[in-house]
Amino acid sequence: MEEGGWFPVVEQTLVAAERGRRRRGSTRPVAVAAADRVRVALRRGDGREIGIDEQLSIGSAEDNDLVLEDPYVSGLHCILRRYGQRVVVVDCGSHNGTFVGGVRVGTGELSPGMQLCVGRSAMRLVAEGVGEGLIGDSPAMRRLRARIDSVAPTRAAVLILGESGTGKELVARALHAASRRRGPFVVLNCGAISPELAESELFGHERGAFTGAAGRRPGVFEEATSGTLFLDEIGELPIALQPKLLRVLETGVVRAVGASGERRVDVRLVAATHRDLPAAVRCGAFRLDLYHRLAMVVLELPALRDRCEDLPLLARHFLKELAPEMGARDLSEAALDALGRYPWPGNVRELRNAIQRAAIFGGRLLEAEDLMPVAQPASVDSGRIAIDGRRLEEVEREMILRALRRTLGNRRAAAQSLGVPKSTLCDKVRRYQIDVPEEKR
């Protein structure tokens, strides 16, 4: 990587300015143009992120923006300066060097996707637009993005509601990206932790607090300080812990298990659930006061079946995402029509899986038969039928035809896949006048 490049004398000016700021003991103002909707951040190996709004200092000294407890990292190791989505990396005379893309640099450019190595720590630059991943131009999605833009800069707690697979975590990440909070985005799935360990996961524990607690461990509230904590499936949180969570939200302090004192945290809370929380409140499974504290702002995510006009955009987005490893490049009109007739009970997550599966077995242009699994409404309990306006004979003929195509005309195998005797299949082939190529029988 050529040093200098398009950023002449930036090394001397950045290092001098940073050291001058530290001598004065001043704080750096964070200034990001309102029109700049792209969030640029360093993503560490453990998934934590630290945003780069204007400038970021990295080192082992406590006055750095990113402090690394690493004997191979100098006090002020390097400085990162943002220019749009590009970032200039300046080594500040470190003993062990700063590496961009595996190359040691004095001054270099770090682009999205490239790796930065400082001491033993490897980080990757990521750039995310507000609402990135929230694909769609339907009225429902436009309203959702507008609400994200409005609520993100505030400190209000947000409750995200929606069916499974609608993208609740994507919305939470979009809120964090648009909030410009400098801390990490931390996720805890309340439905995936045991009730016995839930308090420790949330608030941390001290050494010896319980059997197996060999050392102090911070909880997710401490980990998310100055950032955003996303509590997924909040409806699964044990009722005994709900008063403690409410107190943290109201006071801003946490007490670790086994601790004698409290620690103050600055956390923006975003919660999500697919459960009916008001119904849980009525039956005593969820506290009313906690519900009101979480639901300062409620974002309801539309189900995919309620925004069918977004299906082509989503499907082609997933195909493009899979392009490096799959051969498929586009969908036929018949395939898009098949997508529109299916109710998608698993929402966007199910659509992505269906596109990936079709891309594995299909050709460069995906056809309707490549998406066969989405044409089986019998396996769906959503209460809707994907074959409205079609006669039973038409549906039955199409299912037989697709089964024969999948089995290359093998009637025995096709009958087994449909769960009917071979004689029944042969009768229906004659009745519906289905042409099975002779060479494939």
Side-chain angles (χ1 to χ4, degrees):
M1 178 176 294
E2 181 182 356
E3 297 191 7
W6 60 274
F7 32 81
V9 304
V10 70
E11 178 177 356
Q12 296 89 341
T13 56
L14 279 182
V15 175
E18 178 66 18
R19 287 179 172 154
R21 178 187 71 82
R22 293 182 177 209
R23 284 195 299 269
R24 295 191 302 272
S26 62
T27 58
R28 184 188 309 111
V30 176
V32 177
D36 188 356
R37 292 166 54 86
V38 178
R39 176 178 182 266
V40 177
L42 282 178
R43 180 174 295 164
R44 303 173 65 175
D46 57 5
R48 301 182 188 181
E49 296 178 0
I50 180 167
I52 306 172
D53 292 317
E54 187 179 54
Q55 185 172 310
L56 182 78
S57 61
I58 302 176
S60 58
E62 292 184 356
D63 55 352
N64 285 290
D65 299 313
L66 176 56
V67 179
L68 299 176
E69 297 180 357
D70 183 339
Y72 294 92
V73 174
S74 302
L76 175 58
H77 196 102
C78 63
I79 299 172
L80 277 62
R81 177 77 179 184
R82 176 179 173 180
Y83 296 89
Q85 292 188 48
R86 296 184 295 181
V87 173
V88 177
V89 180
V90 178
D91 183 86
C92 300
S94 66
H95 293 297
N96 295 300
T98 301
F99 295 81
V100 174
V103 179
R104 183 167 182 168
V105 299
T107 304
E109 182 178 343
L110 186 65
S111 301
M114 293 185 67
Q115 189 178 67
L116 171 70
C117 292
V118 177
R120 292 175 175 172
S121 299
M123 296 157 277
R124 193 170 299 277
L125 190 72
V126 294
E128 301 173 336
V130 175
E132 183 185 20
L134 302 176
I135 308 297
D137 197 40
S138 61
M141 292 305 292
R142 289 199 296 269
R143 286 193 298 270
L144 177 62
R145 281 193 287 267
R147 296 204 70 191
I148 290 173
D149 285 343
S150 297
V151 72
T154 72
R155 296 178 58 89
V158 178
L159 178 63
I160 304 172
L161 304 178
E163 297 178 7
S164 178
T166 49
K168 294 186 285 293
E169 185 171 338
L170 282 176
V171 172
R173 288 185 179 275
L175 285 165
H176 176 66
S179 72
R180 304 190 181 100
R181 293 181 67 84
R182 297 179 65 87
F185 178 83
V186 178
V187 181
L188 178 66
N189 187 334
C190 298
I193 54 177
S194 67
E196 296 78 14
L197 297 177
E199 184 173 3
S200 173
E201 290 285 346
L202 282 169
F203 313 125
H205 64 254
E206 297 293 329
R207 179 180 180 181
F210 49 83
T211 303
R216 181 183 180 274
R217 180 185 173 186
V220 290
F221 270 95
E222 285 189 70
E223 292 179 355
T225 294
S226 300
T228 301
L229 174 59
F230 176 50
L231 295 182
D232 198 9
E233 296 303 339
I234 189 69
E236 308 299 326
L237 189 69
I239 189 72
L241 269 183
Q242 293 178 22
K244 297 181 179 180
L245 174 60
L246 178 62
R247 184 176 184 277
V248 173
L249 297 179
E250 290 181 340
T251 64
V253 296
V254 298
R255 182 189 295 271
V257 179
S260 57
E262 296 178 326
R263 292 183 175 86
R264 182 161 293 279
V265 292
D266 172 22
V267 173
R268 200 295 178 65
L269 186 73
V270 179
T273 183
H274 71 281
R275 294 183 59 184
D276 184 347
L277 283 190
V281 169
R282 289 193 295 271
C283 70
F286 204 85
R287 292 179 61 101
L288 178 62
D289 48 5
L290 178 58
Y291 171 75
H292 287 308
R293 186 63 178 80
L294 294 172
M296 293 177 66
V297 175
V298 177
L299 297 180
E300 295 192 42
L301 274 58
L304 186 53
R305 62 180 174 272
D306 295 328
R307 55 182 186 106
C308 291
E309 59 265 56
D310 291 333
L311 277 168
L313 283 173
L314 284 162
R316 290 188 169 114
H317 167 76
F318 292 138
L319 265 186
K320 183 179 179 181
E321 187 178 69
L322 297 166
E325 53 185 281
M326 308 295 180
R329 291 295 183 270
D330 204 354
L331 296 94
S332 69
E333 289 301 319
L336 291 172
D337 183 60
L339 294 180
R341 293 198 308 268
Y342 184 68
W344 299 108
N347 293 290
V348 179
R349 183 185 295 120
E350 184 184 7
L351 173 64
R352 188 187 190 282
N353 292 341
I355 295 297
Q356 184 171 21
R357 183 171 55 244
I360 292 172
F361 297 108
R364 292 183 65 84
L365 182 68
L366 297 186
E367 299 290 349
E369 54 264 29
D370 297 320
L371 298 162
M372 176 64 185
V374 307
Q376 296 180 355
S379 63
V380 177
D381 61 357
S382 64
R384 295 187 52 169
I385 302 176
I387 55 175
D388 293 341
R390 304 173 70 193
R391 293 182 301 168
L392 177 61
E393 291 83 357
E394 293 175 327
V395 176
E396 191 172 51
R397 186 182 190 279
E398 184 175 339
M399 291 182 67
I400 293 172
L401 184 60
R402 292 185 179 185
L404 288 166
R405 286 174 178 168
R406 286 202 317 275
T407 59
L408 301 179
N410 187 315
R411 299 190 186 197
R412 184 179 301 277
Q416 289 177 346
S417 70
L418 292 170
V420 299
K422 181 183 176 182
S423 58
T424 301
L425 176 67
C426 292
D427 289 342
K428 291 184 181 293
V429 167
R430 287 191 296 269
R431 175 183 173 186
Y432 295 136
Q433 299 180 350
I434 296 174
D435 181 29
V436 183
E438 188 69 31
E439 65 271 16
K440 294 185 178 181
R441 289 181 180 175

